[in-house]
Amino acid sequence: MSFQQINSTCYYFQSSVNIGYVQSGTTGLLIDAGIDKSSIKKVLKELKDRELPLTHLFITHAHADHYGGAAYIQENYEVYTYAPKFEEAILRNPKLEPLYLFGGNDPVKELRNKFLEGESIRIDEVVSEGSLQAGEVEGEIFLLPGHSYHQLALKANGILYATDSYFGEDALRKHIIPYITDADLTIKSLEKLLAIEMEGAVPGHGPFEKDPSTTIQQNIDVHVKLMNWLENYIIQKEWVSHESVVAAMCEHYEVSTPQLSQWLLYRTAVTAYLVALKKDQRIQDDVVGHRWVFHSGAKS
């Protein structure tokens, strides 16, 4: 993990999961909190060594890799904590993440891990799109759902902390089928990102870029490519079950699902593309023989 200064007030801790930091006067605002106590301890040590304040915490969305260290911060610092609506319910009740991934059933033991379930945290203020005044830090909040239900990004002093609204090039290549909950909203959020005036952006995974437009467009292209492949596959197969679609897409793109948790993440993403195709009336669906099936037209 390395501490990177972007301008006079904006910084970020570059790691597998980026953590933002904005300082103004006696106010220090962290944007997200890493995956666990170990990772956030490095951040807190860096701030202490540089005599930088920590007074506020902004959680962008309720995925454990972005809030897992927040409980430790709250145990050791007096921080005023912001979170998006809806997401805050998960942050206060972290079991909800493995619960929804597991389709509403009580999650099995292997899903109760730090990658899917962080420690519960206190939320002092629920925020939505608009302006933010956090002590002496002034910011603008943007609603960018699709990767998560009510994901927010924060712009301060020209720098957009974009969180997982887009992925850096390496992260995009690594995941192949990016985790999303809604494909339509994901693409709309990416298009919204392209229109935001900024002096640079920090994604949740990937390096800071002064002009992230090319990377953002690459994200759009990936989602369009995946949806087009899925539509063509269903047209060729005529009728195919939901489970078969998930397996076929994972096999075609050679993604690895050795654990139940990884398979559930890919299942959610593939389902998001299927639902988008259904909404656009590019495919149709039915329940046949107790299976959710997809096809290109009316029943024969």
Side-chain angles (χ1 to χ4, degrees):
M1 180 178 288
S2 62
F3 188 55
Q4 304 288 330
Q5 182 166 3
I6 301 170
N7 60 27
S8 61
T9 64
C10 296
Y11 309 76
Y12 79 108
F13 294 85
Q14 186 174 6
S15 186
S16 58
V17 183
N18 294 327
I19 298 171
Y21 178 75
V22 182
Q23 184 263 329
S24 181
T26 59
T27 300
L29 170 67
L30 266 188
I31 302 156
D32 286 339
I35 193 167
D36 57 16
K37 181 190 299 186
S38 175
S39 62
I40 203 62
K41 276 185 173 181
K42 298 173 185 176
V43 170
L44 299 176
K45 182 179 185 303
E46 191 73 42
L47 293 177
K48 183 177 180 180
D49 290 346
R50 293 173 180 266
E51 298 182 341
L52 291 169
L54 176 54
T55 56
H56 295 73
L57 173 62
F58 186 98
I59 301 297
T60 61
H61 64 294
H63 288 168
D65 59 335
H66 289 263
Y67 77 88
Y72 182 80
I73 296 173
Q74 290 185 343
E75 289 168 6
N76 292 276
Y77 288 80
E78 291 291 332
V79 291
Y80 190 86
T81 304
Y82 304 94
K85 67 178 184 180
F86 191 90
E87 306 278 341
E88 59 88 18
I90 302 170
L91 294 166
R92 290 186 290 104
N93 304 279
K95 185 181 176 181
L96 287 173
E97 184 175 354
L99 183 68
Y100 67 67
L101 282 172
F102 204 45
N105 294 109
D106 198 49
V108 292
K109 184 178 179 180
E110 57 260 44
L111 300 180
R112 307 291 303 275
N113 59 63
K114 72 176 184 178
F115 299 102
L116 297 181
E117 183 180 352
E119 292 185 55
S120 175
I121 63 172
R122 181 193 75 253
I123 304 302
D124 297 305
E125 185 175 343
V126 176
V127 291
S128 56
E129 189 167 63
S131 60
L132 176 73
Q133 188 71 49
E136 297 175 65
V137 172
E138 295 182 359
E140 185 177 2
I141 300 170
F142 296 90
L143 174 61
L144 298 167
H147 172 76
S148 192
Y149 306 103
H150 204 86
Q151 178 176 248
L152 298 177
L154 179 66
K155 187 173 79 168
N157 198 12
I159 303 304
L160 183 71
Y161 293 92
T163 188
D164 288 353
S165 58
Y166 80 96
F167 292 95
E169 288 185 36
D170 288 346
L172 204 58
R173 282 194 293 268
K174 175 185 175 182
H175 293 291
I176 306 174
I177 303 174
Y179 178 80
I180 57 172
T181 60
D182 188 302
D184 280 336
L185 290 178
T186 295
I187 292 173
K188 287 177 181 176
S189 291
L190 288 162
E191 291 169 344
K192 184 175 180 177
L193 277 173
L194 289 173
I196 296 174
E197 292 185 6
M198 65 180 85
E199 296 172 16
V202 179
H205 308 268
F208 165 76
E209 292 181 287
K210 288 185 177 180
D211 180 6
S213 59
T214 298
T215 306
I216 294 168
Q217 185 60 53
Q218 287 175 344
N219 277 251
I220 294 173
D221 294 344
V222 164
H223 294 300
V224 171
K225 178 189 73 174
L226 291 169
M227 264 199 293
N228 287 341
W229 182 90
L230 198 51
E231 180 183 21
N232 290 331
Y233 174 80
I234 291 168
I235 290 170
Q236 291 169 11
K237 291 293 181 179
E238 295 186 4
W239 290 80
V240 61
S241 71
H242 177 242
E243 189 171 58
S244 296
V245 170
V246 174
M249 197 167 191
C250 289
E251 288 170 3
H252 178 80
Y253 286 101
E254 299 180 342
V255 300
S256 177
T257 59
Q259 298 175 348
L260 177 61
S261 59
Q262 292 165 309
W263 181 79
L264 288 171
L265 293 171
Y266 282 116
R267 183 185 69 170
T268 302
V270 174
T271 304
Y273 295 122
L274 286 168
V275 171
L277 290 170
K278 175 184 174 178
K279 286 179 180 178
D280 290 344
Q281 299 184 339
R282 292 165 61 179
I283 62 170
Q284 296 183 34
D285 68 317
D286 289 284
V287 175
V288 178
H290 308 291
R291 293 178 177 86
W292 188 22
V293 300
F294 297 88
H295 54 98
S296 59
K299 295 181 183 178
S300 57

